[in-house]
Amino acid sequence: AAAAASSAIAGPFTQLCNTGVSNCTTESPNTTQGVADSNYTVTAAPAGVTSPTAVTFFTGGYFQNGSNPIGTPTASWITTKSGGSVSEALGTFNYQEAITTGDVTGQVTISGSWGVDNCGTLAWGSTPVAVSSGTGITIGNGVGANCASVTSTFNSLTAFSFNESVIAHTTYYLDFEVGNTGLVTALLVDGLSARCTDASGTACAASSTPEPS
């Protein structure tokens, strides 16, 4: 089995959360299915999906490592629940995590590992747009018409890393767009971390902006 990913490191942000955890500081995963994940909001879903919520989920073939039967020691798979049951709607589901910067301004590197059923695209920003450069920022050709239907997108994890500029005390959104080509769908994000650097590798500057009251 692959080595377990480390707990999320917030760095320049006040908090980062893997999927399916009960505590973002310790990244303790919920190990049973059907538990709501309040750290991720389903902000978009295919037509007909009503009142979508993110819940823990697992099915055979999904990546699993360690003692957690529905994920890893620091993350669990999540899916979308609609109308009391797991949605199998075809199309794109968007799982969004709100992230607030601390007392820093500059360039940050955001990284982690993810798996999707069936394809995925990363987006970021105050108004999120697809990440344009980095590694592992799409899986299975990304969401849309070319979404792949292959088991490699969910029976192993893909490492990702990308750089973005941030302003102190600002909320940004990290979106994991997941395309479903048939039957169930899910997302796992593990080892989510951020470090504060600029292009030359030096630490970004502490801001003199006071904390909002």
Side-chain angles (χ1 to χ4, degrees):
S6 61
S7 299
I9 301 171
F13 301 115
T14 56
Q15 179 172 271
L16 288 175
C17 304
N18 296 335
T19 53
V21 300
S22 59
N23 184 309
C24 293
T25 301
T26 61
E27 297 298 348
S28 304
N30 291 301
T31 58
T32 57
Q33 298 192 53
V35 178
D37 186 344
S38 60
N39 302 308
Y40 285 81
T41 303
V42 182
T43 61
V49 176
T50 58
S51 303
T53 56
V55 297
T56 53
F57 177 75
F58 190 83
T59 193
Y62 285 0
F63 179 83
Q64 186 275 332
N65 179 48
S67 60
N68 178 9
I70 63 171
T72 75
T74 49
S76 290
W77 287 87
I78 61 173
T79 191
T80 295
K81 186 176 181 180
S82 170
S85 60
V86 169
S87 176
E88 297 185 2
L90 304 183
T92 300
F93 296 80
N94 189 60
Y95 298 88
Q96 183 175 90
E97 181 176 359
I99 301 173
T100 301
T101 50
D103 191 29
V104 293
T105 294
Q107 188 180 81
V108 299
T109 300
I110 301 163
S111 59
S113 297
W114 63 320
V116 295
D117 182 3
N118 298 95
C119 61
T121 297
L122 291 177
W124 167 267
S126 298
T127 302
V129 296
V131 176
S132 59
S133 63
T135 59
I137 56 177
T138 63
I139 300 179
N141 302 325
V143 298
N146 296 319
C147 179
S149 183
V150 292
T151 59
S152 60
T153 62
F154 55 76
N155 62 24
S156 61
L157 300 184
T158 298
F160 68 86
S161 179
F162 62 94
N163 296 332
E164 297 288 347
S165 295
V166 300
I167 298 171
H169 314 303
T170 302
T171 298
Y172 296 91
Y173 299 96
L174 178 57
D175 285 3
F176 295 88
E177 301 174 2
V178 177
N180 185 31
T181 61
L183 300 177
V184 294
T185 179
L187 164 72
L188 185 140
V189 179
D190 201 3
L192 187 60
S193 66
R195 57 186 176 89
C196 188
T197 61
D198 62 17
S200 66
T202 56
C204 60
S207 171
S208 59
T209 305
E211 290 281 357
S213 58

